[in-house]
Coordinates of all heavy atoms in Angstrom, one line a residue:
L1 N -54.3 68.2 42.1 CA -54.3 67.9 40.7 C -55.6 68.1 40.0 O -55.7 68.6 38.9 CB -53.7 66.5 40.4 CG -53.4 66.2 39.0 CD1 -52.3 67.1 38.5 CD2 -52.9 64.7 38.8
P2 N -56.7 67.7 40.6 CA -58.0 67.9 39.9 C -58.3 69.4 39.7 O -58.9 69.8 38.7 CB -59.1 67.3 40.8 CG -58.3 66.3 41.6 CD -56.9 66.8 41.7
A3 N -57.8 70.3 40.6 CA -58.0 71.7 40.4 C -57.3 72.2 39.2 O -57.7 73.1 38.4 CB -57.6 72.5 41.6
A4 N -56.1 71.6 38.9 CA -55.3 72.0 37.7 C -56.1 71.6 36.4 O -56.1 72.3 35.4 CB -53.9 71.4 37.7
V5 N -56.7 70.5 36.4 CA -57.5 70.0 35.2 C -58.6 71.0 35.0 O -58.9 71.4 33.9 CB -57.9 68.6 35.4 CG1 -58.8 68.2 34.3 CG2 -56.7 67.7 35.5
L6 N -59.3 71.3 36.1 CA -60.5 72.2 36.0 C -60.0 73.6 35.6 O -60.7 74.3 34.8 CB -61.2 72.3 37.3 CG -61.9 71.0 37.8 CD1 -62.5 71.2 39.2 CD2 -63.0 70.7 36.8
L7 N -58.8 74.1 36.0 CA -58.3 75.4 35.6 C -58.0 75.4 34.2 O -58.2 76.4 33.5 CB -57.1 75.8 36.5 CG -56.6 77.2 36.3 CD1 -57.6 78.2 36.6 CD2 -55.3 77.4 37.1
K8 N -57.5 74.3 33.6 CA -57.2 74.3 32.2 C -58.4 74.4 31.3 O -58.4 75.0 30.3 CB -56.5 73.0 31.9 CG -56.0 72.9 30.4 CD -55.2 71.6 30.2 CE -54.5 71.7 28.9 NZ -54.9 71.3 27.8
D9 N -59.5 73.9 31.8 CA -60.8 73.9 31.0 C -61.6 75.2 31.3 O -62.6 75.4 30.6 CB -61.6 72.7 31.3 CG -60.9 71.4 30.9 OD1 -60.1 71.5 29.9 OD2 -61.2 70.4 31.5
T10 N -61.1 76.0 32.2 CA -61.8 77.2 32.5 C -61.7 78.3 31.4 O -60.6 78.5 30.9 CB -61.3 77.8 33.9 OG1 -61.3 76.8 34.8 CG2 -62.1 79.0 34.3
K11 N -62.7 79.0 31.1 CA -62.7 80.1 30.2 C -62.0 81.3 30.8 O -62.0 81.4 32.0 CB -64.1 80.5 29.8 CG -64.8 79.4 29.0 CD -66.2 79.9 28.6 CE -67.0 78.8 27.9 NZ -68.3 79.2 27.6
L12 N -61.4 82.1 30.0 CA -60.7 83.3 30.4 C -61.5 84.2 31.3 O -61.1 84.7 32.3 CB -60.1 84.1 29.3 CG -59.3 85.4 29.6 CD1 -58.1 85.1 30.5 CD2 -58.9 86.1 28.3
M13 N -62.8 84.4 31.0 CA -63.7 85.2 31.7 C -63.9 84.7 33.1 O -64.3 85.4 34.0 CB -65.0 85.4 31.0 CG -64.8 86.2 29.7 SD -64.2 87.9 29.9 CE -65.5 88.6 30.7
D14 N -63.7 83.4 33.3 CA -64.0 82.8 34.6 C -62.8 82.6 35.5 O -62.9 82.2 36.6 CB -64.7 81.4 34.4 CG -66.0 81.5 33.7 OD1 -66.7 82.6 33.9 OD2 -66.4 80.6 33.0
V15 N -61.6 83.0 35.0 CA -60.4 82.9 35.7 C -60.2 84.0 36.7 O -60.4 85.2 36.3 CB -59.2 82.8 34.8 CG1 -57.8 82.8 35.5 CG2 -59.3 81.6 33.9
K16 N -59.9 83.7 37.9 CA -59.6 84.8 38.9 C -58.3 85.4 38.6 O -57.4 84.8 38.0 CB -59.6 84.2 40.3 CG -60.9 83.4 40.7 CD -61.9 84.4 41.1 CE -63.1 83.7 41.7 NZ -64.0 83.1 40.8
L17 N -58.0 86.6 39.1 CA -56.8 87.3 38.8 C -55.6 86.6 39.4 O -54.5 86.5 38.7 CB -56.9 88.8 39.4 CG -55.8 89.7 38.9 CD1 -55.8 89.8 37.4 CD2 -56.0 91.1 39.6
G18 N -55.7 86.0 40.5 CA -54.6 85.2 41.1 C -54.3 84.0 40.4 O -53.2 83.5 40.4
Q19 N -55.2 83.4 39.6 CA -55.0 82.2 38.9 C -54.5 82.5 37.5 O -54.2 81.5 36.8 CB -56.4 81.4 38.8 CG -56.9 81.0 40.1 CD -58.3 80.4 39.9 OE1 -59.1 80.8 39.0 NE2 -58.7 79.4 40.7
L20 N -54.5 83.7 37.1 CA -54.1 84.1 35.7 C -52.8 83.6 35.3 O -52.7 83.0 34.2 CB -54.3 85.6 35.5 CG -54.1 86.1 34.0 CD1 -55.2 85.4 33.2 CD2 -54.2 87.6 34.0
P21 N -51.7 83.7 36.1 CA -50.4 83.2 35.6 C -50.4 81.7 35.4 O -49.8 81.2 34.4 CB -49.4 83.6 36.7 CG -50.1 84.8 37.4 CD -51.6 84.5 37.3
S22 N -51.0 80.9 36.3 CA -51.0 79.5 36.1 C -51.9 79.1 34.9 O -51.6 78.1 34.2 CB -51.4 78.8 37.4 OG -52.7 79.2 37.8
W23 N -53.0 79.8 34.7 CA -53.9 79.6 33.6 C -53.1 79.8 32.3 O -53.2 79.0 31.3 CB -55.1 80.4 33.7 CG -56.1 80.2 32.6 CD1 -57.1 79.2 32.6 CD2 -56.3 80.9 31.4 NE1 -57.8 79.2 31.4 CE2 -57.4 80.3 30.6 CE3 -55.6 81.9 30.8 CZ2 -57.8 80.7 29.4 CZ3 -56.1 82.4 29.5 CH2 -57.1 81.8 28.9
L24 N -52.4 80.9 32.2 CA -51.6 81.2 31.0 C -50.5 80.2 30.7 O -50.2 79.9 29.6 CB -51.0 82.6 31.1 CG -52.0 83.8 30.8 CD1 -51.3 85.1 31.2 CD2 -52.5 83.8 29.4
A25 N -49.9 79.7 31.8 CA -48.9 78.7 31.6 C -49.4 77.4 31.0 O -48.7 76.6 30.4 CB -48.2 78.4 33.0
M26 N -50.7 77.1 31.2 CA -51.3 75.9 30.6 C -51.8 76.1 29.2 O -52.2 75.1 28.6 CB -52.5 75.5 31.5 CG -52.2 75.1 32.9 SD -53.7 74.6 33.7 CE -53.1 74.8 35.4
R27 N -51.7 77.3 28.6 CA -52.1 77.5 27.3 C -51.1 77.0 26.3 O -49.9 76.9 26.6 CB -52.4 79.0 27.0 CG -53.5 79.6 27.9 CD -54.8 79.1 27.6 NE -55.2 78.1 28.6 CZ -56.2 77.3 28.6 NH1 -57.0 77.2 27.6 NH2 -56.4 76.4 29.5
D28 N -51.5 76.7 25.1 CA -50.6 76.2 24.1 C -50.2 77.3 23.1 O -51.1 77.8 22.3 CB -51.3 75.1 23.3 CG -50.5 74.4 22.2 OD1 -49.2 74.6 22.3 OD2 -51.0 73.7 21.4
F29 N -49.0 77.8 23.3 CA -48.6 79.0 22.5 C -47.7 78.5 21.3 O -47.0 79.4 20.7 CB -47.8 80.0 23.3 CG -48.7 80.7 24.3 CD1 -48.7 80.5 25.6 CD2 -49.6 81.7 23.8 CE1 -49.6 81.1 26.5 CE2 -50.4 82.4 24.6 CZ -50.4 82.1 26.0
T30 N -47.8 77.3 20.9 CA -47.1 76.9 19.7 C -47.9 77.4 18.5 O -49.0 77.8 18.6 CB -47.0 75.3 19.6 OG1 -48.3 74.8 19.6 CG2 -46.2 74.8 20.8
P31 N -47.2 77.4 17.3 CA -48.0 77.9 16.1 C -49.2 77.1 15.9 O -50.3 77.7 15.5 CB -47.0 77.7 15.0 CG -45.6 77.9 15.7 CD -45.8 77.2 17.0
G32 N -49.2 75.8 16.1 CA -50.4 75.0 15.9 C -51.5 75.3 16.9 O -52.7 75.3 16.6
G33 N -51.1 75.6 18.1 CA -52.1 76.0 19.1 C -52.7 77.3 18.9 O -53.9 77.5 19.1
I34 N -51.9 78.2 18.4 CA -52.4 79.6 18.1 C -53.4 79.5 16.9 O -54.5 80.1 16.9 CB -51.3 80.5 17.8 CG1 -50.5 80.8 19.1 CG2 -51.8 81.8 17.2 CD1 -49.2 81.6 18.9
V35 N -53.0 78.7 15.9 CA -53.9 78.5 14.7 C -55.2 77.8 15.1 O -56.3 78.2 14.7 CB -53.2 77.7 13.6 CG1 -54.2 77.3 12.5 CG2 -52.1 78.5 13.0
G36 N -55.1 76.8 16.0 CA -56.3 76.2 16.5 C -57.2 77.1 17.3 O -58.4 77.0 17.1
A37 N -56.6 78.0 18.1 CA -57.4 79.0 18.8 C -58.1 79.9 17.9 O -59.3 80.3 18.1 CB -56.5 79.7 19.8
I38 N -57.5 80.3 16.8 CA -58.1 81.2 15.9 C -59.2 80.5 15.1 O -60.3 81.1 14.9 CB -57.0 81.8 14.9 CG1 -56.1 82.7 15.6 CG2 -57.7 82.5 13.7 CD1 -54.9 83.1 14.8
Q39 N -59.0 79.3 14.8 CA -60.1 78.5 14.1 C -61.3 78.3 15.0 O -62.4 78.4 14.6 CB -59.5 77.2 13.7 CG -58.6 77.2 12.5 CD -58.1 75.9 12.1 OE1 -58.1 74.9 12.9 NE2 -57.6 75.7 10.9
R40 N -61.0 78.0 16.3 CA -62.1 77.9 17.2 C -62.9 79.2 17.4 O -64.1 79.2 17.5 CB -61.6 77.4 18.6 CG -61.3 75.9 18.6 CD -61.0 75.4 20.0 NE -60.0 76.2 20.7 CZ -58.7 76.0 20.7 NH1 -58.2 75.0 19.9 NH2 -57.9 76.7 21.4
G41 N -62.2 80.3 17.5 CA -62.8 81.6 17.6 C -63.7 81.9 16.3 O -64.8 82.4 16.4
Y42 N -63.1 81.6 15.2 CA -63.8 81.9 13.9 C -65.1 81.0 13.9 O -66.2 81.5 13.5 CB -62.9 81.6 12.7 CG -63.7 81.7 11.4 CD1 -64.0 82.9 10.9 CD2 -64.1 80.5 10.8 CE1 -64.8 83.0 9.7 CE2 -64.8 80.6 9.6 CZ -65.2 81.8 9.1 OH -65.9 81.9 7.9
N43 N -64.9 79.7 14.2 CA -66.1 78.8 14.2 C -67.2 79.3 15.2 O -68.4 79.2 14.9 CB -65.7 77.4 14.4 CG -64.9 76.8 13.3 OD1 -65.1 77.2 12.1 ND2 -64.1 75.8 13.6
R44 N -66.8 79.7 16.3 CA -67.7 80.2 17.3 C -68.5 81.4 16.8 O -69.7 81.6 16.9 CB -67.0 80.5 18.6 CG -67.9 80.8 19.8 CD -67.2 81.0 21.1 NE -66.4 79.8 21.4 CZ -65.1 79.8 21.7 NH1 -64.4 81.0 21.8 NH2 -64.5 78.7 22.0
Y45 N -67.7 82.4 16.2 CA -68.3 83.6 15.7 C -69.3 83.3 14.5 O -70.4 83.7 14.4 CB -67.2 84.5 15.2 CG -67.7 85.7 14.4 CD1 -68.2 86.8 15.1 CD2 -67.8 85.7 13.0 CE1 -68.7 87.9 14.4 CE2 -68.2 86.8 12.3 CZ -68.7 87.9 13.0 OH -69.2 88.9 12.3
Y46 N -68.8 82.4 13.6 CA -69.6 82.0 12.4 C -70.9 81.4 12.9 O -72.0 81.7 12.3 CB -68.8 81.1 11.5 CG -69.5 80.7 10.3 CD1 -69.5 81.6 9.2 CD2 -70.2 79.5 10.2 CE1 -70.2 81.2 8.0 CE2 -70.8 79.1 9.0 CZ -70.9 80.0 8.0 OH -71.5 79.7 6.8
N47 N -70.8 80.4 13.8 CA -72.0 79.7 14.2 C -73.0 80.6 15.0 O -74.2 80.4 15.0 CB -71.7 78.5 15.0 CG -71.1 77.4 14.1 OD1 -71.5 77.2 13.0 ND2 -70.1 76.6 14.6
K48 N -72.4 81.6 15.7 CA -73.3 82.5 16.5 C -74.0 83.6 15.7 O -75.1 83.9 15.9 CB -72.5 83.1 17.6 CG -73.3 83.9 18.6 CD -72.5 84.3 19.8 CE -73.4 85.1 20.8 NZ -72.6 85.5 22.0
Y49 N -73.2 84.2 14.7 CA -73.7 85.3 14.0 C -74.1 85.1 12.6 O -74.9 85.8 12.0 CB -72.8 86.5 14.1 CG -72.6 87.0 15.5 CD1 -71.5 86.8 16.3 CD2 -73.6 87.7 16.2 CE1 -71.3 87.2 17.6 CE2 -73.5 88.2 17.4 CZ -72.4 87.9 18.1 OH -72.3 88.4 19.4
I50 N -73.4 84.2 11.9 CA -73.6 84.1 10.4 C -74.5 82.9 10.1 O -75.4 83.0 9.3 CB -72.2 83.9 9.7 CG1 -71.3 85.1 10.1 CG2 -72.4 83.8 8.2 CD1 -71.7 86.4 9.7
N51 N -74.2 81.7 10.7 CA -74.9 80.5 10.3 C -76.1 80.3 11.2 O -76.1 79.4 12.1 CB -73.9 79.3 10.5 CG -74.5 78.0 9.9 OD1 -75.4 78.0 9.1 ND2 -73.9 76.9 10.4
V52 N -77.1 81.2 11.1 CA -78.3 81.1 11.9 C -79.5 81.0 11.0 O -79.5 81.4 9.8 CB -78.4 82.4 12.8 CG1 -77.3 82.4 13.9 CG2 -78.4 83.6 12.0
K53 N -80.6 80.5 11.6 CA -81.8 80.3 10.8 C -82.4 81.7 10.5 O -82.9 81.9 9.4 CB -82.8 79.4 11.5 CG -82.4 78.0 11.6 CD -83.4 77.1 12.3 CE -82.9 75.7 12.3 NZ -83.9 74.8 13.0
K54 N -82.5 82.5 11.5 CA -83.1 83.8 11.4 C -82.0 84.9 11.6 O -81.7 85.2 12.7 CB -84.2 84.0 12.4 CG -85.0 85.3 12.2 CD -86.2 85.4 13.2 CE -86.9 86.7 13.1 NZ -87.9 86.8 14.1
G55 N -81.4 85.3 10.5 CA -80.2 86.1 10.6 C -80.6 87.6 10.8 O -81.7 88.0 10.6
G56 N -79.6 88.3 11.3 CA -79.8 89.7 11.5 C -78.5 90.4 10.9 O -77.7 89.9 10.2
L57 N -78.4 91.7 11.3 CA -77.3 92.5 10.8 C -76.1 92.5 11.8 O -75.1 93.1 11.5 CB -77.7 93.9 10.5 CG -78.7 94.1 9.3 CD1 -79.2 95.5 9.2 CD2 -78.1 93.6 8.0
G58 N -76.3 91.9 12.9 CA -75.2 91.9 13.9 C -73.9 91.4 13.5 O -72.9 92.1 13.7
G59 N -73.8 90.2 13.0 CA -72.5 89.7 12.6 C -71.9 90.4 11.4 O -70.7 90.7 11.5
I60 N -72.7 90.7 10.4 CA -72.1 91.4 9.3 C -71.6 92.8 9.6 O -70.6 93.3 9.2 CB -73.1 91.5 8.1 CG1 -73.6 90.1 7.7 CG2 -72.6 92.2 6.9 CD1 -72.6 89.2 7.1
S61 N -72.4 93.5 10.5 CA -72.0 94.9 10.9 C -70.7 94.9 11.7 O -70.0 95.8 11.6 CB -73.2 95.5 11.6 OG -73.4 94.9 12.8
M62 N -70.5 93.8 12.5 CA -69.3 93.7 13.3 C -68.1 93.5 12.4 O -67.0 94.1 12.6 CB -69.3 92.6 14.3 CG -70.1 93.0 15.6 SD -69.9 91.8 16.9 CE -70.8 90.5 16.4
V63 N -68.2 92.7 11.3 CA -67.1 92.5 10.4 C -66.9 93.8 9.7 O -65.7 94.2 9.5 CB -67.5 91.4 9.4 CG1 -66.5 91.4 8.2 CG2 -67.6 90.1 10.1
L64 N -67.9 94.5 9.2 CA -67.7 95.8 8.5 C -67.1 96.9 9.4 O -66.2 97.6 9.0 CB -69.0 96.3 8.0 CG -69.6 95.5 6.8 CD1 -71.0 96.0 6.4 CD2 -68.6 95.6 5.6
A65 N -67.5 96.9 10.7 CA -66.9 97.9 11.6 C -65.4 97.5 11.9 O -64.6 98.5 11.9 CB -67.7 97.8 13.0
G66 N -65.1 96.3 12.0 CA -63.7 95.9 12.1 C -62.9 96.3 10.9 O -61.7 96.7 11.1
Y67 N -63.4 96.1 9.7 CA -62.8 96.5 8.5 C -62.5 98.0 8.5 O -61.5 98.5 8.1 CB -63.5 96.0 7.3 CG -63.0 96.6 6.0 CD1 -61.8 96.0 5.5 CD2 -63.6 97.6 5.3 CE1 -61.3 96.5 4.3 CE2 -63.1 98.1 4.1 CZ -61.9 97.5 3.6 OH -61.4 98.0 2.5
V68 N -63.5 98.8 8.9 CA -63.4 100.2 8.8 C -62.3 100.7 9.8 O -61.4 101.5 9.5 CB -64.7 100.9 9.2 CG1 -64.6 102.4 9.5 CG2 -65.7 100.7 8.1
V69 N -62.3 100.1 11.0 CA -61.2 100.5 12.0 C -59.9 100.1 11.5 O -58.9 100.8 11.6 CB -61.6 99.8 13.4 CG1 -60.4 100.0 14.3 CG2 -62.8 100.4 14.0
L70 N -59.7 98.9 10.9 CA -58.5 98.4 10.5 C -58.0 99.2 9.3 O -56.8 99.6 9.2 CB -58.6 96.9 10.0 CG -57.3 96.1 9.9 CD1 -56.5 96.1 11.2 CD2 -57.6 94.7 9.4
S71 N -58.8 99.6 8.4 CA -58.4 100.4 7.2 C -58.0 101.8 7.7 O -57.1 102.4 7.1 CB -59.5 100.4 6.1 OG -60.6 101.1 6.6
Y72 N -58.7 102.3 8.7 CA -58.4 103.6 9.3 C -57.0 103.6 9.9 O -56.2 104.5 9.6 CB -59.4 104.0 10.3 CG -59.1 105.4 10.9 CD1 -59.5 106.6 10.3 CD2 -58.5 105.5 12.2 CE1 -59.3 107.8 10.8 CE2 -58.3 106.8 12.7 CZ -58.7 107.9 12.0 OH -58.4 109.1 12.6
V73 N -56.7 102.5 10.6 CA -55.3 102.4 11.2 C -54.3 102.3 10.2 O -53.2 102.8 10.3 CB -55.3 101.2 12.2 CG1 -53.9 100.9 12.7 CG2 -56.2 101.5 13.4
W74 N -54.6 101.5 9.1 CA -53.6 101.3 8.0 C -53.4 102.7 7.3 O -52.3 103.0 6.9 CB -54.0 100.3 7.1 CG -53.8 98.9 7.5 CD1 -52.9 98.5 8.5 CD2 -54.5 97.7 7.1 NE1 -53.1 97.1 8.7 CE2 -54.0 96.6 7.8 CE3 -55.5 97.5 6.2 CZ2 -54.5 95.3 7.7 CZ3 -56.0 96.2 6.0 CH2 -55.4 95.1 6.7
S75 N -54.4 103.5 7.1 CA -54.3 104.7 6.4 C -53.5 105.8 7.2 O -52.7 106.6 6.6 CB -55.6 105.3 6.1 OG -56.3 104.4 5.2
Y76 N -53.7 105.7 8.5 CA -53.0 106.7 9.4 C -52.0 105.9 10.2 O -52.3 105.6 11.4 CB -54.0 107.5 10.2 CG -55.0 108.3 9.4 CD1 -56.2 107.8 9.0 CD2 -54.6 109.5 8.9 CE1 -57.1 108.5 8.3 CE2 -55.5 110.2 8.1 CZ -56.7 109.7 7.8 OH -57.6 110.4 7.0
S77 N -50.8 105.7 9.7 CA -49.8 104.9 10.4 C -49.2 105.5 11.6 O -48.6 104.8 12.4 CB -48.7 104.5 9.4 OG -48.1 105.6 8.9
H78 N -49.4 106.8 11.8 CA -48.9 107.5 13.0 C -49.7 107.2 14.3 O -49.3 107.5 15.3 CB -48.8 109.0 12.8 CG -50.2 109.6 12.6 ND1 -50.8 109.6 11.4 CD2 -51.0 110.2 13.4 CE1 -52.0 110.2 11.5 NE2 -52.1 110.6 12.7
I79 N -50.8 106.5 14.1 CA -51.7 106.2 15.3 C -51.1 105.1 16.1 O -50.7 104.1 15.6 CB -53.1 105.9 14.9 CG1 -53.7 107.1 14.3 CG2 -53.9 105.3 16.0 CD1 -55.1 107.0 13.8

């Protein structure tokens, strides 16, 4: 049982391939869980790239690159 608790707190990058099905089974795929995961990801991105004392162009350029790719896909729907 302690291994299951540790596996639940493990990040995706640290999960072994054999542990992946059980790790996925422990995730919360309810609408509230998905919204919470998106909020945590946004907060992590914001605090790492936007809300910094000495800012750079990294965070803003990633957002712009994502927008360019998304608008390209929307423009060419056959892709």
